[in-house]
């Protein structure tokens, strides 16, 4: 198809959100505040990694169509540099304290579920199938992260302060989720991609409803990082991604061609 | 030549690596067995996207079919419609209960992408009863249990913890 390079890029955007956030959640292994939380974080990460792989497998097939033979799934995950990653800036932000991790998760989950809901109606049958499947898992992620926002925001003075600080600090990265660049515009017109801009209002009301329950204040909308077409989706990242990738990719890069 | 019925029978002996009391046919993982030219196409559907058992299941399928003469097969992954716990057979639900896992409540056809985030606690979503003593008084301990597909519950009557196979 004529728009294969754009579709490949769009698949990387979806895949990289899953892969990068899964890696971040994996950093909690063995360090969760309680055993149940440790297990929950890594299970959410596992779902996201599985979804990331489904998007990446499709990306690989698309690349092989227009630039044969294309790269393998492992090469796409482990041999791309930071500038070639297409994830949102939000998901690469460091884990911080537990409120930081859960606020990042909640802001993303709420958007992710709405995005997948829209993608389930994609004219591309493969995209629709992956989205419909992933949405089942993300719904559960959202229940959990929204629950945590309420628990922390409506908890002790300390947990409330940390939850509010986390939301305030991450807010600057939320605008990018609703930005639409030329690549997405073309795919939206073709009925393949989801129109991210249309998710903004429903996302805001859903987030506001949880914040209300959690006694958290909605941050004001100021400057939004990456929202003007120069952000994670275009490969321009915060400094955190490179450090994270160094750890994620070192084994594959130190042992080229190794099989496991 | 091996028949479709013989293949289904062999597949019924392949168990889920993480829940060995039930077979992949009973769990609804095997979607179809069809003839395509000289080959048999065995369609399977993944349960959870990141389920580490998926690869093992595929190789277990090959091993099981090797035992009935090794028909030429291709294992195809089918994503749509997505797997649901509603496909778990009644017999498998009984076996789950017997091994101490509360079977999933019906998920139904509800749209997965809409959610009322504030009133999202769905009381009807929990287990019907404790798999050990049958009491209906249970509480959730954690949203995730020993595997991605289970949650951790506790019975408030017999006080035993147990796994709940979550509706998916």
């Amino acid at each position: 198809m004529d728009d294969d390079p754009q579709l490949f890029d769009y698949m990387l955007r979806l895949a990289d959100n899953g892969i990068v956030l899964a890696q971040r959640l994996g950093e909690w292994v063995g360090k969760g505040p309680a055993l149940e939380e440790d297990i929950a974080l890594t299970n959410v990460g596992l779902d996201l990694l599985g979804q990331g792989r489904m998007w990446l497998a499709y990306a690989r097939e698309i690349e092989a169509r227009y630039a044969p033979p294309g790269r393998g799934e492992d090469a796409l995950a482990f041999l791309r540099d930071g500038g070639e990653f297409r994830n949102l800036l939000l998901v690469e932000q460091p884990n911080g304290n537990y409120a930081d991790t859960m606020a990042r998760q909640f802001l993303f989950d709420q958007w992710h579920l709405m995005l997948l809901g829209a993608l389930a109606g994609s004219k591309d049958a493969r995209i629709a199938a992956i989205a419909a499947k992933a949405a089942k898992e993300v719904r559960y992620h959202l229940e959990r992260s929204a629950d945590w926002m309420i628990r922390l925001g409506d908890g002790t003075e300390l947990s409330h302060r940390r939850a509010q600080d986390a939301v305030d600090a991450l807010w600057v990265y939320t605008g990018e989720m609703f930005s639409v660049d030329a690549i997405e515009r073309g795919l939206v017109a073709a009925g393949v991609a989801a129109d991210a801009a249309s998710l903004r209002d429903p996302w805001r009301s859903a987030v506001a409803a949880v914040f209300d329950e959690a006694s958290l204040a909605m941050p004001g909308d100021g400057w939004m990082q990456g929202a003007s077409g120069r952000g994670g989706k275009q490969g321009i990242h915060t400094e955190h991604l490179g450090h994270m990738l160094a750890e994620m990719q070192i084994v594959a890069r130190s042992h080229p061609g190794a099989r496991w | 030549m091996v028949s479709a019925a013989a293949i289904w029978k062999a597949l019924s002996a392949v168990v889920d690596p993480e829940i060995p009391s039930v077979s992949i046919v009973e769990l609804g993982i095997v979607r179809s067995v069809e003839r395509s030219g000289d080959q048999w196409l065995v369609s399977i559907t993944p349960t959870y996207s990141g389920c580490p058992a998926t690869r093992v299941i595929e190789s277990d399928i090959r091993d099981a079919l090797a035992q009935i003469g090794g028909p030429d097969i291709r294992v195809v992954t089918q994503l749509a419609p997505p797997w649901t716990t509603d496909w778990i057979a009644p017999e498998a639900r009984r076996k789950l209960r017997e091994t101490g896992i509360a079977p999933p409540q019906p998920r139904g056809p509800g749209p997965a992408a809409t959610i009322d985030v504030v009133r999202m606690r769905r009381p009807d979503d929990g287990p019907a009863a404790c798999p050990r003593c049958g009491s209906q008084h249970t509480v959730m301990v954690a949203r995730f249990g020993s595997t991605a597909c289970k949650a951790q519950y506790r019975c408030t009557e017999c006080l035993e913890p147990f796994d709940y196979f979550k509706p998916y």
Side-chain angles (χ1 to χ4, degrees):
Chain A
M1 286 192 296
D2 295 343
D3 57 1
D4 270 352
Q6 289 76 26
L7 190 57
F8 172 71
D9 205 276
Y10 190 61
M11 287 304 107
L12 288 186
R13 293 177 184 192
L14 298 171
D16 291 346
N17 281 338
I19 294 167
V20 169
L21 188 51
Q23 177 71 17
R24 279 289 183 224
L25 292 172
E27 290 171 4
W28 273 106
V29 173
K31 297 184 208 160
L35 182 60
E36 289 80 2
E37 287 307 307
D38 202 291
I39 291 171
L41 289 170
T42 41
N43 270 300
V44 170
L46 192 62
D47 284 344
L48 291 169
L49 188 63
Q51 295 166 13
R53 283 193 63 186
M54 291 197 285
W55 296 122
L56 204 60
Y58 191 33
R60 190 189 66 74
E61 288 172 34
I62 295 162
E63 189 185 42
R65 277 203 305 244
Y66 75 88
R71 288 165 284 182
E73 232 183 283
D74 275 354
L76 287 173
F78 297 117
L79 302 181
R80 274 184 299 145
D81 288 333
E84 294 168 275
F85 269 74
R86 294 288 181 265
N87 58 280
L88 295 167
L89 300 173
L90 176 65
V91 297
E92 72 198 33
Q93 298 311 304
N95 287 341
N97 62 38
Y98 212 59
D100 294 321
T101 289
M102 293 321 297
R104 181 186 65 198
Q105 195 68 36
F106 170 65
L107 297 171
F108 176 72
D109 287 346
Q110 183 63 72
W111 172 83
H112 198 195
L113 184 63
M114 288 173 166
L115 180 86
L116 293 171
L119 286 176
S122 170
K123 280 186 184 162
D124 184 312
R126 179 83 164 266
I127 293 176
I130 299 173
K133 174 149 196 66
K136 287 179 164 226
E137 291 154 11
V138 172
R139 183 194 158 105
Y140 200 74
H141 301 173
L142 175 62
E143 285 178 14
R144 200 183 104 78
S145 59
D147 229 11
W148 264 110
M149 291 316 292
I150 295 167
R151 199 162 150 188
L152 292 170
D154 202 21
T156 65
E157 196 188 318
L158 178 66
S159 74
H160 173 83
R161 194 173 71 235
R162 288 194 171 168
Q164 187 69 59
D165 286 351
V167 167
D168 291 347
L170 291 169
W171 200 253
V172 72
Y173 301 112
T174 58
E176 188 193 13
M177 300 194 285
F178 312 104
S179 68
V180 180
D181 64 2
I183 288 179
E184 289 189 19
R185 210 169 295 122
L187 293 170
V188 169
V192 170
D195 179 8
S198 72
L199 305 177
R200 191 171 180 275
D201 290 344
W203 178 87
R204 278 190 69 94
S205 8
V207 167
V210 170
F211 282 6
D212 188 42
E213 190 88 358
S215 326
L216 292 169
M218 281 289 269
D221 280 340
W223 161 256
M224 287 291 182
Q225 196 73 39
S228 53
R230 283 175 53 82
K233 297 204 282 190
Q234 291 78 28
I236 299 164
H237 292 275
T238 59
E239 67 171 297
H240 306 294
L241 181 69
H243 296 282
M244 197 209 82
L245 290 179
E247 184 170 318
M248 181 177 120
Q249 298 181 330
I250 189 165
V251 175
R253 288 184 185 242
S254 305
H255 303 277
R259 298 173 61 84
W260 58 83
Chain B
M1 197 185 78
V2 176
S3 67
I7 291 178
W8 276 107
K9 193 170 166 228
L11 293 174
S12 298
V14 177
V15 298
D16 183 283
E18 289 186 337
I19 315 167
S21 54
V22 289
S23 82
I24 58 169
V25 172
E26 290 173 318
L27 282 175
I29 291 172
V30 182
R31 302 311 301 154
S32 62
V33 175
E34 281 165 9
R35 191 84 189 151
S36 166
D38 293 337
Q39 265 188 330
W40 285 101
L41 296 185
V42 177
S43 295
I44 59 171
T45 194
T47 53
Y48 278 73
S49 299
C51 182
T54 307
R55 280 287 177 86
V56 181
I57 289 172
E58 201 174 316
S59 84
D60 287 352
I61 287 176
R62 297 190 174 280
D63 290 348
L65 295 178
Q67 296 196 2
I68 57 162
D72 186 8
I73 61 150
R74 194 150 62 89
V75 180
V76 205
T77 304
Q78 185 188 323
L79 288 180
W83 179 76
T84 162
T85 44
D86 289 352
W87 291 343
I88 298 179
E91 176 68 3
R93 289 171 190 268
R94 185 184 60 76
K95 289 184 195 167
L96 285 171
R97 242 187 324 268
E98 282 171 5
T99 43
I101 301 168
Q105 294 277 63
R107 162 112 269 174
T114 56
I115 181 171
D116 178 348
V117 278
V118 173
R119 320 235 170 271
M120 71 201 156
R121 289 177 192 78
R122 294 165 294 162
D124 56 340
D125 235 23
C130 166
R132 292 177 187 277
C133 74
S135 162
Q136 292 177 6
H137 302 118
T138 60
V139 287
M140 186 171 71
V141 177
R143 282 181 184 269
F144 289 89
S146 56
T147 63
C149 57
K150 299 187 214 110
Q152 202 46 239
Y153 272 74
R154 186 168 53 85
C155 175
T156 54
E157 285 194 25
C158 73
L159 304 180
E160 289 292 329
F162 65 91
D163 268 337
Y164 173 48
F165 203 127
K166 296 176 291 197
Y168 179 97

